[in-house]
Amino acid sequence: MTRSKVEFANSQGQNLAGLLELPSQDKPYAMALFAHCFTCGKDIAAASRIGRALVKHGVGVLRFDFTGLGNSDGDFGNTNFSSNIEDLLTAGEFLKEHYEAPRMIIGHSLGGAAVLAAAQRMPSVEAVATIGAPATAHHVQHLFDSKADEIRESGEAEVTLAGRKFNVKSQMLDDLVQWNTPDHIGNLRKALIIFHSPVDQVVDINEAATIYQAAKHPKSFISLDNADHLLSSAVDAEYVADMLVAWSSRYL
C-alpha cells in the first residue's frame, strides 16, 4: 500500500487536507471517497481501518478533513452541512482531475447523511455506503439545543461537541432545518448499502430504517450486531470493508 498526503482547495479557496491510499503494485480497480463523522477527522480509527482494508482488496481510498477540522484550513464556525456536501464534491473533482473519478462513496455517521446528498451530484459514483448514519442532518440538532437561543440571539455561541469546544453560528442551525427530511434519498439513483448496529447509542437503528424506506432499489442493509457507533473494534471495521468489497463487486 502506498500512502500520500494531498491538499486541494474547497469552494472558498481554503486548503483541505487529505490522505490518499492506493494498492502498492496494481492500479486500483475503483476509487472510493470516505466522509468522516461529525467533528471527527480523516484519521479516526474507523476511517483509517476501513480505508486500509479496502486498499488490501484493490480499492483506492481518499479520506480528508472537512473544512475547519483536523488539518484542513477554515473555521468550523463558518461551516454547515451544505459546506460538507460542497467539500465532498470538491474532493471528487480532485480525484477526477489527478487520479480517477470516484466510483464509490462512503460516509460514517453524519458523513453518511452528507454522502446521500452529495452522491446525486456525482455522476461517476455508482455505489453509496452509509455506516451508522442518520437519515437527515437535522439529527444533530439536539447537540445545540442548550445553546440554541443564545446562538439565535447573538449570532453565535460556544458549544461543546465530543469533548471539544466549537463556535457555532446561526447559519449552522438554519442549514440543519433545510435538511430535515429524507425526501432527497429517493432521488439517489445509485446502488446503496446501509451498515448500522442495533445497539448504536449515538444514532438509533431507526435512522437506518428511515434511509432504507426512503431509498429505491437496489438497496441493502447489513446489521453490525454489537458494534459501537465509532466501530472501535478493528474486527468491526474490517468486517464493513470486507462486506463493502463483496457487495460493490456487483455494481462497480
Side-chain angles (χ1 to χ4, degrees):
M1 179 178 72
T2 62
R3 180 181 300 173
S4 57
K5 294 181 179 180
V6 297
E7 283 190 351
F8 51 93
N10 65 9
S11 59
Q12 304 301 313
Q14 298 159 323
N15 282 338
L16 302 185
L19 186 65
L20 183 67
E21 295 173 313
L22 302 169
S24 56
Q25 296 179 342
D26 299 327
K27 179 182 177 182
Y29 78 83
M31 292 298 301
L33 186 58
F34 192 103
H36 61 71
C37 51
F38 189 50
T39 74
C40 298
K42 67 181 184 304
D43 299 319
I44 189 170
S48 60
R49 287 169 177 162
I50 291 172
R52 288 195 302 268
L54 286 172
V55 172
K56 289 179 182 178
H57 288 288
V59 178
V61 180
L62 171 64
R63 43 192 169 95
F64 69 97
D65 294 322
F66 283 120
T67 300
L69 293 171
N71 296 317
S72 289
D73 293 343
D75 181 356
F76 179 81
N78 292 326
T79 67
N80 50 43
F81 186 71
S82 294
S83 71
N84 286 353
I85 295 171
E86 292 300 321
D87 285 352
L88 281 168
L89 296 176
T90 300
E93 285 299 315
F94 170 79
L95 276 179
K96 179 181 177 180
E97 181 177 348
H98 296 280
Y99 299 92
E100 180 183 311
R103 297 174 63 196
M104 180 160 59
I105 189 168
I106 308 156
H108 182 201
S109 195
L110 191 66
V115 304
L116 288 170
Q120 301 174 39
R121 296 164 60 184
M122 303 175 75
S124 66
V125 169
E126 302 166 63
V128 179
T130 65
I131 306 165
T136 69
H138 196 258
H139 179 267
V140 299
Q141 175 74 44
H142 70 280
L143 298 175
F144 310 109
D145 284 348
S146 63
K147 292 290 187 77
D149 291 340
E150 182 181 347
I151 293 172
R152 294 292 187 194
E153 292 172 5
S154 303
E156 66 179 292
E158 188 177 80
V159 177
T160 300
L161 302 171
R164 292 180 291 165
K165 296 184 184 298
F166 297 92
N167 282 328
V168 173
K169 297 184 179 180
S170 57
Q171 66 179 28
M172 171 74 84
L173 302 187
D174 295 338
D175 194 62
L176 295 181
V177 171
Q178 290 180 12
W179 290 95
N180 67 348
T181 75
D183 295 346
H184 60 284
I185 299 174
N187 300 321
L188 189 60
R189 294 185 174 87
K190 318 275 187 181
L192 171 67
I193 189 166
I194 304 159
F195 294 91
H196 213 112
S197 168
V199 295
D200 192 321
Q201 298 297 304
V202 177
V203 179
D204 192 88
I205 186 67
N206 289 329
E207 293 292 315
T210 299
I211 295 172
Y212 190 88
Q213 290 166 1
K216 293 181 172 62
H217 286 291
K219 56 184 177 179
S220 304
F221 170 78
I222 291 182
S223 173
L224 297 181
D225 296 336
N226 60 353
D228 62 22
H229 180 67
L230 293 179
L231 302 186
S232 302
S233 170
V235 172
D236 293 324
E238 289 167 4
Y239 174 74
V240 168
D242 289 344
M243 293 299 100
L244 260 177
V245 170
W247 167 81
S248 65
S249 66
R250 187 175 184 87
Y251 306 103
L252 300 184

